[in-house]
Amino acid sequence: MTTEIENNTPKVWVGSWAAYNAGFHVGDWFDIDPNLDALEFETMVKDRLVEIAKKQNISMSTYELLDEIDVFDKEFLPDEINIMSSDGYEKITDALKILDPHDFAIWTMLLSNGIEKEPHELRDAYDGCHRTTRDFTDWLAEETVIDPTWSEMAIRYFDWEQYSYETMMDYGSERCTYCGDIAIYNSRS
């Protein structure tokens, strides 16, 4: 049984390099909202950074403050997508609209491992979440290798360890940020 990890909302910490270089800490965490377009998100971020700078009494022009804003940290998002570009933001929000939270976590994991799949192609590369890689290879063997007509003795002496080892050469695995189980993906996709 899997347990959902507490809050896996994709988010970014956006800050001002100009403020940072002047010795100030101006930035905040922003949830990625699929209902906002890239321009609305950028406007929300800039407004919040200006508000933070005003609260800290930073004497810096708005232009200077916002000239170099950047993502300093991110959670539940792949490094391969620049969320501050309109294309990157749209790619993420489109995926959030199509995929449930678990599948979104898997999609970002695939991207982080160099497997470029559009959200609707997710199932082409993903083979489910399993408690262990051995659980996956046991399931795969029962589904594809073990013939139901084999005798009980043949099944008992099947080399499960060797099969598991060799099978995982074609697959990648990583802990799922959503459910905590091991996500299995076809590394040759």
Side-chain angles (χ1 to χ4, degrees), residues 10-14 28-30 32 41 71 73-74 77 83:
K11 59 186 86 188
V12 291
W13 197 93
V14 180
D28 205 354
W29 282 102
F30 297 90
I32 305 302
F41 179 75
V71 174
D73 197 4
K74 52 177 88 174
L77 289 167
I83 196 72

Side-chain angles (χ1 to χ4, degrees), residues 48 50-58:
R48 179 72 180 122
V50 168
E51 180 185 317
I52 292 169
K54 283 181 183 175
K55 282 184 181 177
Q56 294 181 22
N57 294 321
I58 297 173

Side-chain angles (χ1 to χ4, degrees), residues 12-21 24-30 45-46 49 52 64-73 84:
V12 291
W13 197 93
V14 180
S16 165
W17 278 111
Y20 178 80
N21 290 334
F24 300 103
H25 188 255
V26 177
D28 205 354
W29 282 102
F30 297 90
V45 167
K46 287 180 176 180
L49 294 180
I52 292 169
E64 187 180 7
L65 177 73
L66 301 177
D67 185 39
E68 293 181 82
I69 61 172
D70 200 1
V71 174
F72 285 61
D73 197 4
M84 294 307 287

Side-chain angles (χ1 to χ4, degrees), residues 88-176:
Y89 186 83
E90 305 275 330
K91 187 171 187 170
I92 293 293
T93 55
D94 288 348
L96 284 167
K97 290 174 188 172
I98 294 170
L99 301 171
D100 66 34
H102 184 259
D103 285 349
F104 182 81
I106 299 301
W107 179 70
T108 60
M109 178 201 65
L110 292 173
L111 289 175
S112 296
N113 284 289
I115 299 173
E116 291 280 335
K117 292 287 181 188
E118 292 299 318
H120 63 276
E121 300 173 322
L122 177 68
R123 295 293 171 198
D124 295 345
Y126 167 63
D127 290 290
C129 286
H130 303 267
R131 272 187 335 97
T132 65
T133 55
R134 176 65 189 264
D135 284 353
F136 166 69
T137 57
D138 287 357
W139 168 82
L140 189 63
E142 290 168 6
E143 292 291 314
T144 61
V145 176
I146 304 296
D147 187 323
T149 63
W150 286 5
S151 70
E152 194 175 313
M153 184 178 288
I155 293 171
R156 185 178 325 127
Y157 290 107
F158 181 79
D159 190 343
W160 292 97
E161 290 300 321
Q162 187 64 29
Y163 175 77
S164 180
Y165 172 77
E166 290 178 10
T167 298
M168 288 310 295
M169 288 181 181
D170 292 334
Y171 292 89
S173 63
E174 190 171 309
R175 182 133 337 254
C176 176

